[in-house]
Structures are given as structure tokens and as C-alpha cells.
Amino acid sequence: MKRIFPIVLLAAVFATSLAACAPQAATTPQPTATSAVLKISDGLGRALELNPAPQRVVSLAPSNTEILFAVGAGDLVVGADDFSNFPEQVEALPAVGGSMGDYNLEQIASLQPDLVLAAEINTPEQVKSLEDLGIPVYYLSNPTDLEGVFQNLIIVGELTGRQTQAAELAESLRERVEVVQQKLEGVTERPRVFYELDGSEPAKPWTAGKGTFMDLLIQLAGGENVGAGMENSWGQLSLEALLLENPDFILLGDAAYGVTPEQVASRAGWEGIKAVQQGQILPFNDDMASRPGPRLVDALEILARALHPQQFE
């Protein structure tokens, strides 16, 4: 049974940001397949020769897990990290660690994978430890935009023999993004948005700044992220600064941990915020916005409709 740890700050550590410090691939990998071997370079710049049709796959990141299922390779997944919780079928898979940054290498080996799919939350040292056990590992690059996410879908489709499904999915996601952009053409007013990642300290809640997918989604949805002026991608914003920014909307990325709009509205000092006064405090699924997978487009659509409902009537 999967183990999920309800600690917001811990989740933030593993939340994917565009400014992640993980190694980046210099170019988009160009796979070439033969009848028996797939020759490809991964996000660590390693030249790999892999089985192009693995039968047993272990995922080391929630985004990887979601991509595998989305491209039709969910039936190959035999284990996943502690934080993988979507789709529902993942809950029944063996959990291989990752909650504290460590993975159970013995358990991973016992699952006899012919492919382990790593990601930006995994260190080169962890990749090498698996390789030393004779386990094939592909490190998926950390994307910096939606197109990078779509390219990762294509790569995972190539790795798992689901090329057609992956290509079709990527194209459909591009089309959905284009529809959102068309709906927002001509919009001149951009609501100011505060995204709350962790409000356990109401006087200085945690939020998302530049270099995060949340910041990108707010921009694409026709809004302005009030956390964009912070020095770091993730940080705390003082109540004084929040009052000065005076957001039109408050999105609760910590709603999964029991935070409600009513609780936010009752916080001391928050009554002066426009979003509180106008009742525009909305729960938001942080998993969709922090994982570089296909659900980022779902998050974009939800956010755009929330900020500009008149454009989607």
C-alpha cells in the first residue's frame, strides 16, 4: 500500500520547479531504435542502450508515474516512489521509498525491473547505485516549459513502446493549450493571484515564485503571480507584503491538508485582502501544478476558467 506523508513543507521540497538545480540535458534526446536495442541519451547526458519494450518498470517520481500511465504504459509499472498517488491504480503498487530522499534499493532490485525511470528529484549518485546493481536507469530531464513536458511524453513513449499513444497525447495537450490561449485573446485585465503552498504560519505563508510551474500556469491563464517578485522559486511572503500586493484571488495549494477558504478568511489581518473580501479563495490541487506531467494542462484549464469565467461561457 502506498504511503503518503501529509507534510506540506516536505512536499514543497519535492515539488518540481522550472529552476530546479538538477542536471539538465543539453539537447532533446534523439532516440534511434533497432530490432533489439534502443540507443538514447538521457537527462544526465549518458549514452544508453535499452530494451525498447520493457516489461517491468519502476518509477522514482510522481511525474514519471503519471506520464507512464498517461501514455498507456501503466500495465508495465511494478513499483513507484512513496509520493506517487495518481492515477488510483498506483495506490496498490509497492512503494520503493523516496519520502526522505532515500530509496529502498533492495526492494527495487527484488521487483526485477528492466527499466527504472528516474527524474530531477533523483541524484546522479542514486542513479549510479542502481546501475551498480545491474538495473537499467533512464533519467528524464527536468522540463522548463509545457513543450518540454510534451517532449518527455514522447521520450517515455519511445522507451516503453508506446510511441503512437504518446504522440497522440502530446498533440491533444498542445491543442487544449491553444484553445485556452484563443479564449484569452483580447483579455486586458490580469487578476493578481496568491498561491498558498503552506499557510501554517499565517503571518508568513509559503508561496511559489518565478521558475515554478505554478508561476507559469498563472501567466498562461491570464493572471499575475504576486509571488513572482521573490528572490527564490519558493519562499515565505510576509502578511505585510501580501496586504500590499492585495491579490484578487487566493489559491489554496494546501487544501489537501485541510485548509479551507473559511479558515483563511478568518485569519487575523487577512480581512484587508481583496480576495478575502470578495470571496475569491479557491482550493487547488497542488499535485497537478507541481508535477511536470500531462495534468499541468488540466491545471491550466481550471485556473483560466477561474480567473476569466466570462471567456469560457
Side-chain angles (χ1 to χ4, degrees), residues 7 12 44 84 87 99 115 142 157 167 185 253 262 265 279 287 298:
I7 303 175
L44 292 176
S84 288
S99 61
L115 175 64
N142 187 37
E185 283 183 3
E262 293 75 19
D287 287 349
D298 295 343

Side-chain angles (χ1 to χ4, degrees), residues 48-236:
L48 304 173
E49 294 188 0
L50 300 172
N51 177 357
Q55 299 302 305
R56 301 179 64 82
V57 180
V58 170
S59 169
L60 299 187
S63 54
N64 289 354
T65 305
E66 295 191 17
I67 290 174
L68 284 161
F69 276 84
V71 301
D75 59 321
L76 305 179
V77 182
V78 295
D81 68 289
D82 290 341
F83 287 104
S84 288
N85 59 2
F86 185 87
E88 185 177 348
Q89 303 95 296
V90 178
E91 299 287 349
L93 293 174
V96 299
S99 61
M100 301 301 293
D102 296 319
Y103 295 83
N104 189 331
L105 301 185
E106 182 178 347
Q107 183 180 17
I108 293 174
S110 72
L111 294 172
Q112 300 181 317
D114 43 17
L115 175 64
V116 169
L117 194 59
E120 79 291 333
I121 63 175
N122 308 125
T123 66
E125 291 76 18
Q126 290 170 337
V127 171
K128 186 177 186 305
S129 295
L130 288 167
E131 283 187 319
D132 289 344
L133 295 176
I135 301 174
V137 183
Y138 184 91
Y139 183 100
L140 200 61
S141 294
N142 187 37
T144 59
D145 53 24
L146 290 180
E147 185 56 37
V149 174
F150 304 153
Q151 288 301 317
N152 276 356
L153 299 180
I154 300 298
I155 292 170
V156 174
E158 197 78 34
L159 291 170
T160 59
R162 304 296 196 272
Q163 295 94 328
T164 300
Q165 297 96 315
E168 291 176 350
L169 175 60
E171 185 57 29
S172 69
L173 292 173
R174 289 189 185 99
E175 291 174 355
R176 288 167 58 189
V177 173
E178 179 62 26
V179 168
V180 171
Q181 298 307 295
Q182 290 175 354
K183 294 281 189 180
L184 296 178
E185 283 183 3
V187 169
T188 56
E189 294 188 9
R190 300 177 66 87
R192 297 175 62 74
V193 180
F194 172 71
Y195 183 71
E196 179 173 289
L197 180 65
D198 182 355
S200 55
E201 296 181 79
K204 47 180 179 179
W206 285 81
T207 190
K210 287 184 178 180
T212 63
F213 274 107
M214 193 66 237
D215 180 65
L216 175 63
L217 292 176
I218 290 173
Q219 293 181 52
L220 292 176
E224 292 185 9
N225 177 22
V226 302
M230 298 189 306
E231 293 183 4
N232 300 318
S233 296
W234 305 96
Q236 290 174 284

Side-chain angles (χ1 to χ4, degrees), residues 25-46:
T27 59
T28 301
Q30 299 295 322
T32 57
T34 66
S35 59
V37 175
L38 178 68
K39 296 182 179 181
I40 189 170
S41 295
D42 73 353
L44 292 176
R46 302 177 306 146

